[in-house]
């Protein structure tokens, strides 16, 4: 059950808001001023809903005091300037009084969901590069160097990488090392917002613009004015919203839904995706002109499986964090568990690694976490029944088998037989496709020999 602190000096409004939220299964505490709220330790709540005008300091004073807990600002002074100023100071959103009950509940639920998603990745995605980002492998050194050079340039950046690699982490690093570091960073997951609401969320709307629009609303693009807007999973953005975003990048203008007026904004855009935007543009799912506008500077994040030197280092840091959360300090990974973590391909990347370690902390019955506690799926053996492994590969001494991973077997077999076999024959013997064989060669750095190339021509 989420814990919400209401900070409101008018008892009638405070009680009405409490009853409304309790009907939706939220646990509510109350305060009549900022001082009273601070005495309740605002950091222990999941959300703070505060009036802007309060006796003593204004409600915006709670934004820094409660960080990283999100603060939702209420105001009966529905001037757009006060709402935007609150957002610039770090409020996640604002509510104009008298508030619409359905809209308030929807705003609260959305805010709590976003905060929970962010908190799940804090130990990896709440740092700056290069000092606090985890990893020293060559691929990450390239990322750090690109961030260092790109951050001060104030250009649009496209961050590409698989799900769970830490794209938001790169966006935060770019923002904190830029000239806009003292201005807001607004993060938006385009895939998490319903398609019917995405334009309203990004660009705002006027009162009465559509059914349910009971009050005017400032969009997230305007909230990021003078700062940075991070659009995660931008490949999921609908085409209509893409056209509006293109206007922002080209002219620095936004127009609210239902409005005929345009406003100028000064926003740096950082976009992220795990999809191939250029391929999407060829199929008509993504605007080609927007792709070129986004791809001024590109940063490619390597997947975890290509960061072998970093995997165990990241695992140790995430394990310490999980042990603290579950009050099980002192847990360690067994030798076999460390070997499995090193050899596992991690299709879910850092997020999957974090979940596996948390599972291990919960299930471990002694001071060691064993492979079965991690719950990782065992990789399928490379050979199949119709293409048995040749005797030369089966002849690996039994005492060495435990120290050889499947990747070791693959590398051993390819290097042993690529002089005598074509790529097709190698793939057949290993029970994989030629495409898979090529991908594994690239990942393991196994070059194709001239003799092998000659046989495939």
């Amino acid at each position: 059950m989420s814990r919400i602190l209401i900070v409101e000096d008018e008892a009638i409004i405070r009680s009405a808001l409490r009853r409304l939220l309790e009907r939706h299964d939220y646990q509510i505490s109350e305060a009549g001023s900022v001082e009273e709220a601070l005495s309740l330790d605002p950091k222990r709540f999941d959300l703070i809903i505060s009036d802007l005008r309060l006796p003593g300091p204004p409600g915006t004073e709670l934004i820094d005091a409660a960080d990283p807990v999100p603060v939702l600002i209420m105001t009966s002074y529905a001037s757009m300037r006060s709402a935007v100023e609150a957002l610039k100071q770090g409020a996640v959103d604002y509510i104009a009084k008298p508030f619409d009950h359905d809209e308030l509940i929807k705003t609260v639920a959305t805010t709590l969901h976003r905060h929970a998603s962010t908190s799940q990745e804090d130990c990896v995605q709440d740092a700056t590069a290069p000092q606090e980002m985890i990893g020293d492998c060559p691929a990450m050194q390239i990322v750090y160097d690109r961030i260092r050079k790109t951050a001060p340039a104030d250009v649009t950046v496209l961050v590409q990488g698989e799900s769970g690699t830490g794209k938001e982490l790169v966006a935060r690093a770019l923002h904190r090392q830029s000239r806009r570091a003292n201005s807001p960073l607004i993060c938006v997951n385009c895939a998490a917002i319903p398609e019917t609401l995405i334009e309203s969320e990004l660009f705002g709307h006027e009162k009465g613009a559509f059914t349910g629009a009971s009050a005017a609303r400032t969009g997230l693009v305007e909230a990021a004015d003078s700062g940075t807007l991070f659009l995660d999973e931008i490949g999921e953005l609908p085409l209509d919203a893409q056209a509006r975003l293109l206007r922002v990048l080209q002219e620095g203008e936004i127009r609210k839904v239902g409005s005929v007026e345009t406003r100028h904004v000064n926003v740096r855009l950082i976009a992220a995706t795990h999809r191939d935007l250029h391929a999407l543009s060829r199929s008509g799912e993504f605007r080609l002109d927007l792709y070129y506008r986004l791809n001024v500077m590109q940063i490619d994040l390597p997947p975890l499986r290509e960061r072998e030197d970093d995997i165990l280092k990241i695992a140790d840091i995430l394990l310490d964090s999980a042990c603290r959360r579950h009050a099980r300090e002192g847990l360690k990974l067994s030798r076999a568990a460390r070997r499995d973590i090193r050899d596992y391909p991690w299709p879910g990347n850092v997020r999957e690694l974090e979940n596996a370690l948390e599972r291990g902390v919960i299930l471990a019955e002694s001071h060691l976490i064993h492979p079965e506690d991690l719950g990782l799926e065992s990789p399928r053996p490379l050979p199949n029944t119709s293409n048995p492994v040749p005797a030369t590969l089966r002849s690996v001494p039994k005492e060495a088998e435990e120290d050889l991973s499947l990747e070791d077997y693959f590398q051993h077999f390819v290097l042993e037989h690529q002089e005598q076999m074509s790529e097709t024959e190698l793939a057949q013997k290993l029970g994989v496709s030629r495409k898979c064989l090529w991908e594994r060669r690239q990942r393991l750095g196994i070059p194709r020999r001239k003799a092998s190339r000659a046989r495939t021509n």
Side-chain angles (χ1 to χ4, degrees):
M1 182 182 295
S2 297
R3 297 163 298 176
I4 300 176
L5 174 61
I6 301 171
V7 187
E8 167 62 65
D9 60 319
E10 295 187 32
I12 294 176
I13 296 177
R14 194 167 65 231
S15 298
L17 187 54
R18 176 176 191 142
R19 289 194 298 271
L20 173 63
L21 292 170
E22 285 181 338
R23 286 201 301 270
H24 288 80
D25 297 324
Y26 295 116
Q27 182 180 334
I28 306 301
S29 297
E30 299 178 19
S33 65
V34 170
E35 290 89 345
E36 190 177 341
L38 293 175
S39 70
L40 297 176
D41 186 10
K43 289 180 181 289
R44 68 185 181 90
F45 294 93
D46 300 302
L47 173 66
I48 296 173
I49 303 177
S50 176
D51 193 11
L52 180 62
R53 302 290 182 94
L54 292 166
T60 49
E61 290 290 315
L62 290 169
I63 294 172
D64 290 333
D67 187 57
V69 177
V71 177
L72 203 58
I73 292 295
M74 296 185 297
T75 176
S76 56
Y77 304 85
S79 72
M80 203 57 63
R81 179 175 298 177
S82 63
V84 170
E85 284 302 316
L87 291 170
K88 286 185 176 181
Q89 292 181 52
V92 292
D93 210 336
Y94 77 93
I95 306 167
K97 294 189 293 185
F99 44 78
D100 177 85
H101 287 191
D102 292 338
E103 184 174 352
L104 185 142
I105 292 299
K106 182 175 67 176
T107 301
V108 167
T110 301
T111 302
L112 287 168
H113 174 73
R114 288 177 183 168
H115 179 60
S117 300
T118 302
S119 298
Q120 191 176 26
E121 302 173 7
D122 270 352
C123 54
V124 178
Q125 297 187 337
D126 189 26
T128 57
Q131 291 81 8
E132 297 182 29
M133 290 179 71
I134 305 170
D136 300 309
C137 69
M140 288 305 295
Q141 293 297 333
I142 294 173
V143 172
Y144 299 151
D145 185 62
R146 184 61 61 90
I147 290 173
R148 179 180 58 81
K149 293 178 179 178
T150 305
D154 206 36
V155 295
T156 303
V157 182
L158 180 62
V159 184
Q160 292 199 284
E162 296 178 7
S163 178
T165 50
K167 295 185 287 294
E168 185 174 336
L169 173 63
V170 173
R172 292 185 182 278
L174 286 166
H175 175 71
R176 291 175 183 174
Q177 296 182 39
S178 73
R179 295 192 294 268
R180 300 174 182 257
N182 294 324
S183 298
L185 167 66
I186 304 295
C187 300
V188 185
N189 186 336
C190 299
I193 303 175
E195 186 171 336
T196 54
L197 297 177
I198 187 72
E199 289 189 63
S200 171
E201 286 286 322
L202 288 178
F203 307 105
H205 64 252
E206 296 291 355
K207 181 178 180 180
F210 50 85
T211 303
S214 56
R217 183 186 183 94
T218 300
L220 295 171
V221 175
E222 187 174 353
D225 191 18
S226 79
T228 305
L229 178 68
F230 172 55
L231 296 182
D232 197 6
E233 299 299 349
I234 196 170
E236 310 302 324
L237 203 62
L239 287 171
D240 289 345
Q242 291 178 29
R244 284 178 175 267
L245 183 61
L246 182 63
R247 183 72 178 176
V248 174
L249 294 176
Q250 288 179 330
E251 308 296 338
E253 292 180 349
I254 61 168
R255 182 170 58 85
K256 290 185 174 183
V257 177
S259 174
V260 295
E261 297 180 356
T262 60
R263 303 185 183 204
H264 285 274
V265 290
N266 176 16
V267 173
R268 182 187 193 177
L269 180 65
I270 300 174
T273 182
H274 70 282
R275 306 181 69 181
D276 185 343
L277 296 185
H278 196 253
L280 291 178
S281 67
R282 290 197 296 269
S283 64
E285 298 176 69
F286 200 86
R287 294 180 63 108
L288 185 60
D289 49 2
L290 178 58
Y291 168 72
Y292 288 131
R293 281 283 179 178
L294 293 174
N295 197 26
V296 177
M297 186 65 69
Q298 183 171 317
I299 297 178
D300 295 307
L301 269 177
L304 192 56
R305 61 182 172 273
E306 294 180 6
R307 301 173 57 187
E308 294 181 358
D309 296 339
D310 293 337
I311 291 177
L312 291 177
K313 181 185 297 184
I314 295 172
D316 288 336
I317 293 173
L318 294 179
L319 177 59
D320 287 343
S321 178
C323 286
R324 288 194 299 270
R325 283 197 303 274
H326 296 282
R328 296 204 62 183
E329 280 83 354
L331 277 178
K332 300 294 182 185
L333 292 165
S334 69
R335 186 176 301 176
R338 294 180 75 83
R339 185 180 64 229
D340 282 7
I341 287 174
R342 183 196 63 210
D343 296 337
Y344 187 70
W346 299 111
N349 293 293
V350 178
R351 190 177 296 116
E352 184 186 11
L353 173 59
E354 181 180 17
N355 292 340
L357 291 167
E358 186 139 23
R359 187 160 52 238
V361 169
I362 294 170
L363 296 178
E365 295 182 352
S366 65
H367 68 286
L368 286 178
I369 297 175
H370 297 286
E372 56 270 20
D373 299 324
L374 298 172
L376 301 178
E377 294 183 7
S378 299
R380 295 180 181 177
L382 289 173
N384 60 27
T385 54
S386 60
N387 296 290
V389 179
T392 52
L393 184 57
R394 293 200 304 269
S395 64
V396 176
K398 183 162 182 62
E399 59 270 18
E401 285 184 358
E402 294 184 358
D403 295 327
L404 279 176
S405 66
L406 290 176
E407 301 290 23
D408 294 329
Y409 277 117
F410 178 90
Q411 191 166 7
H412 175 88
F413 178 68
V414 172
L415 292 174
E416 182 81 15
H417 298 282
Q418 65 179 359
E419 293 284 5
Q420 296 81 33
M421 295 182 183
S422 67
E423 291 295 286
T424 300
E425 290 169 335
L426 281 171
Q428 288 175 347
K429 291 297 183 182
L430 290 166
V432 298
S433 66
R434 282 192 53 159
K435 181 175 181 293
C436 180
L437 174 61
W438 180 84
E439 289 174 345
R440 285 180 181 244
R441 277 187 179 278
Q442 298 300 308
R443 177 148 52 90
L444 296 174
I446 307 174
R448 289 176 60 178
R449 299 282 181 86
K450 291 183 178 180
S452 178
R453 288 198 295 270
R455 291 181 63 92
T456 58
N457 290 336

